[in-house]
Amino acid sequence: MGSLSTILKHQDEIYPLLKLKLAITKAQKQIPLDPHLTFCYSTLNKVSKTFSLIIQQLGSELRDAVCVFYLILRALDTVEDDTSIPTEIKVPILIAFHRHIHDRDWHFVCGEEKYKVLMDQFHHVSAAFLELGKGYQEIIEDVTKRMGAGMAKFISKEVETVDDYDEYCHYAAGLVGFGMSKLLLSSDLETVTPNWEQLSNSTGLFLQKTNIIKDYLEDINEIPKPRMFWPREIWGKYVDKLEDLKNEDKSTKSVQCLNDMVTNALIHVEDCLKSMAALRDPTKLQCCSIPLIVAIGTLALCYNNVQVFRGAVKLRRGLIAKIFDRTKTMDDVCGAFYDFSCMLETKVDKNDPNAMKTLNRLETIKKVCRVYGGDLHQRKSYVNDKTQSNALFIVMLVPLLAIMVLVYLNTHKLI
């Protein structure tokens, strides 16, 4: 009944959920007939239904390039993430990964479940890569080479300072933003802005820092050894060891540390919004902005939330569906960032050691939203829809839809 009660509590999310389900079903039917691309799109749908759906709006040639790019970097990330691989084996693979993508026969056994399948059948990804246009191949190879070298560097290097943290996030995701931007700029519909590389890097850092924050417990409990990406310069102000943050007797300090990490991530939001405002093609705006909106929503949920150290913290599926449904223009993007910034602002404890810094950064974000988003009050809120629920209306008209959604959510992973 948990899913049903959540759906009925947020009945304005039922219609977006159903639309998203239909869109996913439609996307699954549009998988190319080419066997290598068939594997790529099927695998992408398994590892990230969200991203799989987002890129469906792109033209077929660019969509194929982005799909292959994503899977290559996800495979590289799978090698990095597998803590059972000895360093002397892992590092050479990371450094040489940009060469392996040219080898139709190369594969490597690592990862679990869907990621293991990706690595076992990597020859499909290599074949699809070699069928892309030369320009796409050069972009993807360059990013893969730089990302692999950066990841190899941090296999034996601790994340000590905030500068180390930014550098690691640059290799892990800033380069992804750089590569995505170059792929998108290959279209005649987009033009190069003077600081596009900085903006692309910032969007990548924002996404990566969000993942590092929300995945604390999963990473620290990794077997056979933990993955540690939170910088000592931040967590060292609150605890003696990073793993101490999950101890219940350290809850107050843990939450303060968490808030410090979120505040650090917020510094990239202004660049994210500037990057989105520079996009001319509405489909590319939607493709790039939805992950960023989900990220700011996730940070708002994580902030001041001790549950980050106890279990999974993520946005409701219905809220993500609403984000997909409503995000069409830059005004929509700014509205979403404004809403989630306001949500985060209400959670700031004035006694938190970084409260003023957090509030100042949120105020800056809201100002930028007003610059690019026009009148933010003449629209529906992503977080607090003003439409009042009518219980009788729900009972009479919605039960069939609610049951359909409940059955689906209980048997599938929508997002």
Side-chain angles (χ1 to χ4, degrees), residues 159-229:
V159 180
E160 295 284 346
T161 67
V162 171
D163 285 343
D164 290 340
Y165 183 42
D166 286 349
E167 183 183 6
Y168 171 76
C169 290
H170 165 73
Y171 291 130
L175 287 171
V176 180
F178 172 80
M180 279 292 295
S181 293
K182 292 198 74 172
L183 292 174
L184 296 179
L185 288 169
S186 64
S187 167
D188 292 336
L189 292 175
E190 303 298 342
T191 57
V192 177
T193 55
N195 58 342
W196 72 272
E197 291 190 38
Q198 174 197 325
L199 299 181
S200 298
N201 186 61
S202 282
T203 60
L205 264 63
F206 180 63
L207 292 170
Q208 184 67 13
K209 288 183 177 183
T210 300
N211 287 334
I212 286 174
I213 289 167
K214 76 178 180 63
D215 291 340
Y216 165 83
L217 193 63
E218 178 185 339
D219 288 340
I220 207 70
N221 288 335
E222 180 72 20
I223 295 175
K225 59 182 179 180
R227 297 195 298 264
M228 299 186 182
F229 303 116

Side-chain angles (χ1 to χ4, degrees), residues 40 43-52 55 63-78 115 118 122 125 132 140 144 147 176 180 183 211 291:
C40 289
T43 303
L44 178 61
N45 186 58
K46 292 172 184 174
V47 300
S48 179
K49 285 186 173 66
T50 302
F51 192 74
S52 177
I55 69 170
R63 182 173 66 238
D64 291 347
V66 171
C67 174
V68 172
F69 179 56
Y70 183 94
L71 289 180
I72 287 174
L73 299 189
R74 182 55 71 96
L76 182 63
D77 189 57
T78 299
Y115 302 107
L118 170 62
F122 192 77
V125 182
L132 297 175
I140 294 171
T144 304
M147 187 172 174
V176 180
M180 279 292 295
L183 292 174
N211 287 334

